[in-house]
Amino acid sequence: TGSGASCTSGGKTFYETCLVKETCVERNVAGGFVGTGGHSDMYIGPYCTTQTGKVLNLYAWCDSPVVGVLGKCAGKKFCPGNQGHQNNGSTEPCRCANGLFFDACDDTCNYDGLSANGGYCSVQATSSVNAHYYVKDKCTASNGIVLKYFASCTGRDCLGNRGPCVGKVACDSSTIAVDPCTCGGVTWGSSCVVKCPYEQTAADCKAGQTFTQRCKDNAGTWFGECK
């Protein structure tokens, strides 16, 4: 998609900048997330490659399944103050992403999420959770930690409210968000576009020149350099 001032020459329209929709973006998925920098014991495998060649990986939350793959501690619970126990009498909890997960929590104020009113709220102790927004306080644990309900910016929460960025995708700092929405420390857009500063196509190359592809627009046309 062309952007900025344009000029027409030889039956073609040239723009200051070409914007390219990026389909491989960092985002939360059911049971995990797509991105980089997750803990090694949350890693599932490579997921997609951006137009700039960056590989994004798929990670599973420690206690959840993602695309049919179980997280390392799926089915177990993260307990406030690590106050929990194993049903088989073992004293060794499941360890994942520097956290401990148990079969059951000993504190009545726990990290169990809430499914209600057609939506879901996860529980965290932090004031801000990436890609999620605060819904309400849940309870205060015996160690004084206040646990809070959070919901996905692009989903429905446990009160039945739609997230502020429903229908949008996360855009990183190297892209521009179309119809932007900010929530949970993330900028979302109806689509993400990357700047493509190249204007030449293969048809522009003269005899003896080689065309190097750099990026393509939404219509599938490659832009690059003739050398």
Side-chain angles (χ1 to χ4, degrees):
T1 301
S3 176
S6 64
C7 101
T8 301
S9 175
K12 297 181 179 180
T13 301
F14 296 84
Y15 297 87
E16 286 184 323
T17 302
C18 294
L19 300 180
V20 184
K21 182 180 292 186
E22 180 60 83
T23 58
C24 180
V25 296
E26 296 192 29
R27 65 187 188 276
N28 283 328
V29 296
F33 65 96
V34 175
T36 58
H39 288 269
S40 60
D41 47 13
M42 297 168 63
Y43 175 77
I44 301 299
Y47 189 79
C48 60
T49 303
T50 68
Q51 300 231 24
T52 58
K54 180 180 179 180
V55 176
L56 301 185
N57 300 319
L58 178 65
Y59 297 88
W61 300 126
C62 293
D63 55 351
S64 303
V66 58
V67 294
V69 180
L70 293 177
K72 181 179 179 182
C73 301
K76 297 184 181 294
K77 305 177 185 297
F78 184 73
C79 303
N82 292 326
Q83 299 181 49
H85 65 271
Q86 305 297 84
N87 292 334
N88 61 3
S90 170
T91 58
E92 184 62 28
C94 180
R95 299 175 182 271
C96 177
N98 299 327
L100 304 181
F101 294 80
F102 301 83
D103 287 340
C105 294
D106 298 330
D107 197 323
T108 56
C109 182
N110 55 48
Y111 281 81
D112 288 348
L114 175 62
S115 295
N117 302 307
Y120 177 76
C121 291
S122 61
V123 179
Q124 302 290 337
T126 57
S127 59
S128 178
V129 182
N130 188 44
H132 285 65
Y133 65 95
Y134 168 80
V135 177
K136 64 178 182 178
D137 286 357
K138 178 184 180 181
C139 56
T140 301
S142 58
N143 58 5
I145 296 176
V146 178
L147 302 187
K148 311 171 190 292
Y149 282 121
F150 288 86
S152 170
C153 293
T154 57
R156 187 179 295 274
D157 66 29
C158 52
L159 300 180
N161 301 315
R162 286 161 53 92
C165 302
V166 169
K168 298 182 183 292
V169 295
C171 301
D172 62 27
S173 58
S174 65
T175 63
I176 301 171
V178 179
D179 301 323
C181 168
T182 301
C183 173
V186 177
T187 298
W188 309 79
S190 56
S191 63
C192 306
V193 294
V194 294
K195 290 185 177 180
C196 181
Y198 301 92
E199 297 183 347
Q200 293 179 315
T201 65
D204 297 320
C205 297
K206 299 177 181 179
Q209 288 186 315
T210 299
F211 179 66
T212 302
Q213 296 177 340
R214 297 298 185 186
C215 49
K216 62 181 177 180
D217 62 14
N218 293 338
T221 301
W222 278 97
F223 291 86
E225 298 176 287
C226 293
K227 291 184 178 181

